[in-house]
Amino acid sequence: MPLALLALTVGAFGIGTTEFVIMGLLPRIAADYGVTIPTAGLLVTGYALGVVIGAPLLTVFGTRVSRKRMLMLLMGLFVLGNLLSALAPTFGLMLTGRVVASLAHGSFFGIGSVVAAELVAPDKKAGAIATMFTGLTVANIVGVPLGTFIGQTVGWRTTFAVVAALGVVGLLGIARLVPATPRPEGARLRGELKAFRNPQVLLAMAMTVLGFGGVFAAITYIAPMMTHVAGYADGSVTWLLVLFGVGMFLGNLLGGRFADRALMPLLYAALGGLALVLALFTVTAHHKVLAAITVLLVGALGFATVPPLQKRVLDQAHGAPTLASAVNIGAFNLGNALAAWLGGTVIAAGFGYTSPNWVGAVLAAAALGLALWSAALERRAPADETAETAGARVPVHH
């Protein structure tokens, strides 16, 4: 594995920790600030929307500097946001810190995906992207549970201070290991925007929004769901998040292994399975063992879609992948924001802590529908082009 890929993985570990650790700390943060659980869920929604906004804006800025320098600047912004979250005296400032940290997220994974893909042979691109995202999945096995444990024993502010320190480690890793490369020649906003004229790019992004949104509809409220419905103790949430992280890790490996060989079939299986498992979660959440197994499956099926969706965007974007790649990372988080908001809405409406699972099932099923539609359009396009070409050669008889 190229050392530069290792540096990207370290940065991804820090970002993954801060993105997901909020799930296990949500009840404590809500209690400290005197807000409801759905209101505290805005810390998830705000972070996700920050990714959506920051991904295109900072990536456009990144076309003016080298990719290495841009990755370092993004990690610096990430550190600043987490320090603000750790010190915030009010909920509003806490939310601001989350948004500041999130601005770096989309561009980091977007630019990082391009760098990772360029480090390896063409037939190993999805595997390289999956390797970088391994940092995100390992964060859920190690960083998130550890952060949750620290938050429950020492205080959640300490958790965000530790996350800021992880960001510093990621920054140093990038500075040391990622090779210095000049700004890509011909990198212009107009050229990058051309990728969005391709309907397949837009369809892949829509699949991203709905598919991974299904995961977040359930996982955002995992702490109250597991403690109030399944009957777990507060301290058990840490180990449930470990299970979710293990599932993400396994799903990421699966996605990276098969996306280069059977991309669309993998998406059909992962999205269809995710919709089914989330629907069943409304029942299994009432049983401790079944709930734990379901959490593992949600992580595995959800993250099995990440490498293929990211690779599909890179493939369809052709010669201008950087902005499209970053915007697709924003699409993951747009889905997160939408799902977290919808999940909070159905809880606030009195449907109970398992109701976000139904939201997630519907979103995942919609993503599967888009995947089938995208494949149908792709199969039809070559036939249409062949017919047009043949028609142009048919002699006209007067």
Side-chain angles (χ1 to χ4, degrees):
M1 179 178 68
L3 288 178
L5 206 52
L6 175 61
L8 296 174
T9 304
V10 171
F13 178 84
I15 292 177
T17 299
T18 202
E19 180 182 17
F20 291 100
V21 76
I22 193 74
M23 314 309 181
L25 301 177
L26 212 59
R28 291 180 178 270
I29 293 174
D32 282 358
Y33 284 121
V35 299
T36 64
I37 291 291
T39 299
L42 292 175
L43 295 173
V44 178
T45 303
Y47 185 96
L49 290 177
V51 178
V52 175
I53 296 169
L57 292 181
L58 292 177
T59 302
V60 167
F61 172 76
T63 62
R64 303 174 181 272
V65 299
S66 72
R67 285 174 179 154
K68 174 176 180 175
R69 179 175 297 180
M70 191 61 198
L71 289 171
M72 293 174 63
L73 289 172
L74 292 170
M75 288 308 298
L77 189 62
F78 169 81
V79 171
L80 177 63
N82 280 287
L83 284 176
L84 181 57
S85 293
L87 301 172
T90 65
F91 181 79
L93 285 176
M94 170 66 175
L95 181 58
T96 300
R98 291 285 291 168
V99 171
V100 170
S102 71
L103 293 175
H105 183 127
S107 291
F108 182 88
F109 281 107
I111 295 172
S113 293
V114 175
V115 172
E118 291 178 347
L119 290 170
V120 297
D123 62 341
K124 296 182 178 180
K125 287 186 177 182
I129 294 170
T131 298
M132 182 189 71
F133 276 95
T134 297
L136 187 64
T137 60
V138 171
N140 280 271
I141 300 173
V142 180
V144 172
L146 181 60
T148 303
F149 175 76
I150 292 172
Q152 291 176 343
T153 56
V154 182
W156 60 264
R157 294 182 185 277
T158 304
T159 297
F160 286 99
V162 172
V163 169
L166 283 175
V168 173
V169 174
L171 174 59
L172 294 175
I174 292 168
R176 180 68 182 271
L177 299 176
V178 173
T181 57
R183 181 176 65 86
E185 293 184 9
R188 295 290 186 273
L189 177 59
R190 183 177 299 177
E192 293 286 341
L193 288 173
K194 288 182 180 178
F196 297 93
R197 297 179 184 175
N198 185 349
Q200 291 290 357
V201 172
L202 300 179
L203 278 172
M205 291 180 177
M207 284 183 257
T208 298
V209 170
L210 297 174
F212 211 71
V215 176
F216 255 67
I219 296 302
T220 295
Y221 302 99
I222 186 174
M225 191 191 312
M226 293 298 96
T227 55
H228 289 80
V229 179
Y232 280 102
D234 288 346
S236 298
V237 173
T238 298
W239 306 112
L240 289 166
L241 289 173
V242 170
L243 276 179
F244 178 67
V246 170
M248 291 175 66
F249 180 79
L250 295 175
N252 187 56
L253 288 181
L254 179 69
R257 178 178 294 272
F258 290 102
D260 285 314
R261 290 182 284 175
L263 191 150
M264 294 308 292
L266 174 62
L267 279 179
Y268 302 151
L271 291 172
L274 181 62
L276 177 61
V277 167
L278 285 170
L280 290 174
F281 203 6
T282 58
V283 177
T284 60
H286 295 271
H287 188 280
K288 284 186 176 181
V289 175
L290 293 179
I293 294 172
T294 308
V295 168
L296 175 72
L297 290 175
V298 169
L301 292 167
F303 233 78
T305 68
V306 174
L309 284 172
Q310 194 69 1
K311 182 178 184 292
R312 186 161 179 82
V313 168
L314 289 174
D315 290 344
Q316 298 294 333
H318 303 303
T322 306
L323 182 59
S325 175
V327 171
N328 195 50
I329 298 298
F332 279 107
N333 285 271
L334 178 58
N336 298 351
L338 173 66
W341 175 74
L342 288 173
T345 299
V346 293
I347 290 174
F351 290 101
Y353 286 121
T354 64
S355 57
N357 298 329
W358 282 117
V359 173
V362 171
L363 292 176
L368 175 60
L370 288 181
L372 294 169
W373 183 27
S374 175
L377 291 177
E378 198 167 37
R379 286 192 299 268
R380 190 183 311 157
D384 291 344
E385 291 171 4
T386 301
E388 290 174 4
T389 303
R393 290 197 300 266
V394 173
V396 177
H397 301 283
H398 298 286

